[in-house]
Amino acid sequence: PRAPTATVSCRYSAPKPTPDDGEQDAHDTVDKDRAMMDQIRQQHKPDISQLLTFARGAAYDKWGYTIQEEFVNGYHQTGVAVITIKSTDPGASAQQWLVSGCLDVTKLDVVDRSGKTTLEHPGGINHINYSVDQDPTTLRWYVTNETFDGGTC
């Protein structure tokens, strides 16, 4: 007589890799930078020095100038932008991450003193790239560059 055979079915799902500390710090820095940007742009008298909390270099220069121009013209932001991170890749050094995502500005407007929009066309969902670098002295992470590449989301 043949011995009975058992059929065993196993399902194994490999755990999803978790970002290492630097990668997670880069994600968090991008999220916090966008939130800080929204907060500052909503102020009627913005304090652009707050940008330095999460931005340096070209990213700080770009937004510092933009926010100053908006203030001089009596503009401020209503609503918020929402960033969805799609990928994170190592940068040129161990202290850099390149973060790509989709920036949804459909619920954001820039208005003048009377509340009328100043945007020529409504915002959409745009592909955006960030360079996030670690300061070698403080070990804090900062967005140092931000570019829209015309990619789709």
Side-chain angles (χ1 to χ4, degrees):
R2 261 175 62 179
T5 58
T7 303
V8 178
S9 174
C10 293
R11 291 184 135 210
Y12 175 76
S13 295
K16 290 184 177 182
T18 57
D20 70 16
D21 289 341
E23 185 177 3
Q24 186 62 52
D25 288 342
H27 287 198
D28 293 346
T29 300
V30 167
D31 286 338
K32 290 174 184 176
D33 181 62
R34 283 308 323 171
M36 178 67 71
M37 192 88 56
D38 287 336
Q39 178 184 342
I40 294 169
R41 291 182 78 196
Q42 290 175 6
Q43 298 170 359
H44 289 278
K45 187 171 182 184
D47 177 4
I48 62 167
S49 69
Q50 292 176 320
L51 288 174
L52 292 170
T53 307
F54 300 108
R56 295 284 192 271
Y60 173 79
D61 294 343
K62 170 186 170 181
W63 284 107
Y65 176 80
T66 299
I67 292 168
Q68 284 178 338
E69 284 294 304
E70 289 173 349
F71 172 70
V72 166
N73 290 310
Y75 302 165
H76 70 276
Q77 176 180 310
T78 61
V80 296
V82 177
I83 182 74
T84 302
I85 295 173
K86 296 296 185 182
S87 67
T88 305
D89 297 303
S93 72
Q95 287 76 40
Q96 184 181 65
W97 288 95
L98 305 175
V99 179
S100 295
C102 293
L103 186 64
D104 181 346
V105 294
T106 58
K107 295 183 176 45
L108 175 150
D109 199 358
V110 177
V111 299
D112 63 16
R113 286 183 182 95
S114 68
K116 183 180 175 195
T117 188
T118 63
L119 300 177
E120 293 179 18
H121 51 79
I125 301 174
N126 306 291
H127 192 263
I128 188 167
N129 298 303
Y130 297 93
S131 295
V132 182
D133 293 272
Q134 186 178 42
D135 181 291
T137 305
T138 64
L139 302 181
R140 291 196 54 190
W141 292 87
Y142 298 96
V143 172
T144 56
N145 199 14
E146 170 187 309
T147 57
F148 291 95
D149 65 5
T152 57
C153 287

